[in-house]
Amino acid sequence: MASQKTFSEFQLATELPAWAKLQELYESQGKTLVLKKEFAADPKRFEKYAKTFVNYDGSKIMFDFSKNLINDEILKSLVQLAKDAKVTELRDAMFGGEHINFTEDRAVYHMALRNRSNKAMTVDGVNVAPGVDKVLQHMKEFSEQVRSGEWKGYTGKAITDVVNIGIGGSDLGPVMVTEALKHYAGALKVHFVSNIDGTHLAETLKVVNAETTLFLIASKTFTTAETITNATSAKNWFLSKTGGDQSNIAKHFAALSTNETEVAKFGIDVKNMFGFESWVGGRYSVWSAIGLAIALYIGYDNFEAFLKGAEAVDKHFTETPLEENIPLLGGLLSVWYNNFFDAQTHLVAPFDQYLHRFPAYLQQLSMESNGKSVTRGNVFTNYSTGSILFGEPATNAQHSFFQLVHQGTKLIPSDFILAAQSHNPIGDNLHQKMLASNFFAQAEALMVGKDEDQVKSEGATGGLVPHKVFSGNRPTTSILVQKITPANLGALIAYYEHVTFTEGAIWNINSFDQWGVELGKVLAKVIGKELETSADVSGHDASTNGLINQFKEWM
């Protein structure tokens, strides 16, 4: 593993030479930079700042950074910031299997899960590639048996429905990907239960048949409280519908876990257990056995294409010079806005209905990773770190919060995502053309705005004029995908993973632990015991005591 000394050598971001240079550039150029003027002065600005990623299968994704508040000097200094912060050294340590998650003494090696070239990837002296491939082949065999109908339930009927029970990364990833790749689905229906609110499980169980349902219990330790509670309730429902024979569980439950003892105790045949290692963080686990629901839904070949698309971005991220490195540039722009323009939020708006859960997935990836305030040198930062990421699919979003993006007082850097080719070209592609027109128009409108003279020329007078003025000069990154395929979705996710990594490396924080998730869980266990009795509680603050006691009275 990398030593603690290695980590403490990294400085506060504000101590880096390029940081001071960027502050100077912000004051002298950045805050007064006008995008319309930059485009007028440089006819090749788009050509210079738009980067095209070519996926392993030849498909392409364009990342247009030209509508961002940068020029050549600013971009050069941002790249120098990455060099000063030793981003490439940390990147290479991550890809080398070092324990860069030093607070948990773990490697960060989710990239090994999509290593379909099967090159040696080593953690603690062990090449993990054969083990990863073994799990994938197990997933392939199992998913093909279920999809073909060869796998039968306890009454001899084929499986028709899959219910994935997990939480956090064990839910958000599979939910997002199955929605995004719904076009590739087979006959199986998939359902997801994550919320401990009994309504989530109850409503799901209403629409499935115990004889033809397969439950996937997604918990690495098989001790996650919410997941095991939901799984136990699902098991009790299943037994109540099937005569109570415990042996039937083996035909209808599988485990995405590494805890063989608890899995067997639950009643699941350990042959139907799919493991993954400690170096796989929950929010990076969609590439692992946690993706079994995806393989069942879209087929293993499509799942493997999904992995290969991400692997292609890994190759780009590790081999491309910094000046042309697409995820690195995306991460540097995020730092530019967060730390120099004081932008607190980041909007991701997919102009694609299939991607309607993509922003929710990115929320965990970004905010659980970089919602930190202590550096790798174990001191508190004196600068802002993680942005508040939010988003919804456009064009719906245009009729809700885009008003704030256009005319509000806050700077909201935005990513817009569009597929050029629709899976559903309805009405001679009329729908897709209307969608695309909004994608292009929104980014253009945010950049060019509308000044007072334009408003008056359109007939507005008096006090109405300022209400129709748009300041413009609001930054966007336009991401144009040829088509939302498994490979291109994998590439998009990996892009945002490495954007998040770059941000964290610059901010000198550990993007791979999540201690902030723990405190609420610990207190919930204490309160949970108090809720089992009828006595009033008094051991908390007055507000918490009052709420608990009122709840008990009304429950």
Side-chain angles (χ1 to χ4, degrees):
M1 66 172 279
S3 68
Q4 179 61 32
K5 181 175 183 294
T6 302
F7 294 111
S8 63
E9 285 173 353
F10 288 87
Q11 298 170 280
L12 284 166
T14 47
E15 296 172 351
L16 302 173
W19 190 280
K21 176 64 175 176
L22 283 163
Q23 189 62 52
E24 177 188 314
L25 286 172
Y26 169 74
E27 296 294 341
S28 63
Q29 299 179 32
K31 68 181 182 180
T32 56
L33 186 147
V34 178
L35 285 168
K36 287 190 292 186
K37 292 181 179 178
E38 295 295 319
F39 274 98
D42 184 0
K44 293 189 175 181
R45 182 177 173 88
F46 169 74
E47 185 181 319
K48 185 192 303 180
Y49 292 141
K51 312 293 180 185
T52 299
F53 167 75
V54 181
N55 213 329
Y56 83 94
D57 59 359
S59 59
K60 297 177 181 178
I61 305 175
M62 174 175 279
F63 296 80
D64 177 18
F65 298 120
S66 66
K67 290 190 179 78
N68 282 282
L69 297 169
I70 54 171
N71 56 28
D72 291 350
E73 189 174 6
I74 291 169
L75 185 59
K76 182 179 178 181
S77 293
L78 284 168
V79 171
Q80 185 59 48
L81 180 65
K83 294 175 181 177
D84 288 356
K86 302 180 182 177
V87 172
T88 56
E89 286 92 329
L90 190 65
R91 176 200 67 192
D92 294 345
M94 178 172 71
F95 276 85
E98 295 185 37
H99 290 208
I100 68 166
N101 178 359
F102 69 94
T103 62
E104 297 179 295
D105 194 15
R106 292 177 183 169
V108 176
Y109 225 34
H110 49 277
M111 301 80 60
L113 300 169
R114 55 216 194 201
N115 171 30
R116 299 320 299 136
S117 57
N118 278 317
K119 64 184 178 184
M121 295 187 74
T122 304
V123 175
D124 299 328
V126 177
N127 176 17
V128 302
V132 168
D133 193 60
K134 182 178 179 180
V135 172
L136 285 172
Q137 294 312 311
H138 187 197
M139 291 170 66
K140 178 179 182 180
E141 177 186 30
F142 183 81
S143 61
E144 289 178 349
Q145 285 179 337
V146 175
R147 284 169 60 86
S148 69
E150 179 184 344
W151 179 284
K152 300 288 196 298
Y154 81 102
T155 60
K157 294 180 180 179
I159 298 298
T160 59
D161 292 80
V162 175
V163 178
N164 187 95
I165 299 178
I167 199 167
S170 300
D171 173 77
L172 285 166
V175 168
M176 182 273 289
V177 175
T178 53
E179 286 296 305
L181 299 179
K182 187 175 287 188
H183 175 78
Y184 297 87
L188 284 176
K189 299 184 182 75
V190 292
H191 315 267
F192 295 89
V193 174
S194 57
N195 201 332
I196 194 58
D197 183 344
T199 299
H200 202 181
L201 179 62
E203 289 295 333
T204 302
L205 295 179
K206 284 180 183 178
V207 298
V208 297
N209 184 331
E211 293 181 76
T212 58
T213 297
L214 173 68
F215 292 90
L216 306 179
I217 314 305
S219 172
K220 185 190 292 186
T221 62
F222 223 72
T223 58
T224 307
E226 299 92 339
T227 298
I228 299 308
T229 300
N230 276 329
T232 301
S233 295
K235 181 175 74 170
N236 291 339
W237 171 86
F238 173 79
L239 292 172
S240 73
K241 297 288 185 180
T242 59
D245 187 344
Q246 295 277 339
S247 66
N248 293 335
I249 293 171
K251 285 289 186 181
H252 291 268
F253 285 77
L256 316 180
S257 177
T258 55
N259 191 337
E260 186 172 316
T261 301
E262 289 299 320
V263 167
K265 190 186 297 183
F266 188 89
I268 295 174
D269 186 339
V270 295
K271 293 178 183 176
N272 303 327
M273 189 174 93
F274 300 80
F276 49 102
E277 300 297 330
S278 63
W279 37 259
V280 182
R283 56 193 175 277
Y284 300 94
S285 64
V286 70
W287 321 103
S288 72
I290 293 297
L292 182 59
I294 302 168
L296 285 162
Y297 190 55
I298 65 174
Y300 181 80
D301 289 347
N302 283 320
F303 181 70
E304 186 160 57
F306 171 67
L307 300 180
K308 287 180 177 179
E311 181 186 28
V313 171
D314 293 340
K315 182 178 174 65
H316 171 91
F317 186 55
T318 54
E319 298 180 2
T320 306
L322 301 187
E323 293 78 7
E324 301 296 323
N325 196 303
I326 295 170
L328 182 107
L329 293 174
L332 290 173
L333 285 169
S334 178
V335 171
W336 177 233
Y337 295 125
N338 185 307
N339 296 105
F340 298 93
F341 287 82
D342 293 325
Q344 296 181 328
T345 58
H346 186 144
L347 166 63
V348 178
F351 285 68
D352 192 296
Q353 185 59 30
Y354 282 131
L355 293 179
H356 72 104
R357 294 296 292 165
F358 194 53
Y361 175 81
L362 295 182
Q363 284 177 336
Q364 185 193 26
L365 171 63
S366 176
M367 293 194 284
E368 192 168 84
S369 295
N370 289 339
K372 314 289 171 59
S373 56
V374 177
T375 71
R376 291 196 297 270
N378 305 322
V379 297
F380 285 93
T381 66
N382 58 1
Y383 45 82
S384 172
T385 57
S387 299
I388 300 166
L389 191 147
F390 73 104
E392 284 289 331
T395 55
N396 288 7
Q398 293 170 204
H399 294 270
S400 57
F401 55 76
F402 267 45
Q403 170 64 40
L404 178 66
V405 181
H406 278 283
Q407 287 187 303
T409 57
K410 296 174 173 61
L411 180 73
I412 304 176
S414 304
D415 294 355
F416 294 161
I417 305 171
L418 174 73
Q421 299 171 30
S422 172
H423 286 296
N424 302 290
I426 298 172
D428 194 27
N429 250 334
L430 173 63
H431 290 257
Q432 189 68 2
K433 290 172 184 174
M434 288 181 67
L435 183 68
S437 68
N438 281 276
F439 170 82
F440 300 124
Q442 287 293 331
E444 183 178 37
L446 283 165
M447 182 186 79
V448 302
K450 185 185 288 187
D451 62 26
E452 189 174 313
D453 289 341
Q454 287 176 282
V455 171
K456 288 179 179 178
S457 72
E458 293 172 357
T461 59
L464 188 59
V465 171
H467 294 279
K468 292 196 170 186
V469 168
F470 292 75
S471 63
N473 216 42
R474 303 194 176 207
T476 58
T477 295
S478 295
I479 302 174
L480 183 60
V481 189
Q482 277 190 302
K483 196 171 191 174
I484 299 299
T485 62
N488 284 334
L489 180 65
L492 281 174
I493 298 170
Y495 163 77
Y496 279 103
E497 285 182 351
H498 295 319
V499 164
T500 302
F501 167 86
T502 300
E503 294 169 339
I506 299 291
W507 291 325
N508 190 21
I509 56 179
N510 181 5
S511 298
F512 303 104
D513 60 13
Q514 54 279 330
W515 299 108
V517 177
E518 301 302 319
L519 179 58
K521 289 184 176 181
V522 172
L523 294 178
K525 288 181 181 178
V526 173
I527 294 172
K529 293 179 180 178
E530 293 174 337
L531 294 177
E532 292 173 3
T533 71
S534 58
D536 281 358
V537 301
S538 58
H540 305 275
D541 62 90
S543 170
T544 305
N545 288 335
L547 288 167
I548 292 173
N549 293 330
Q550 186 65 79
F551 173 81
K552 285 186 171 188
E553 182 181 329
W554 285 351
M555 187 172 65

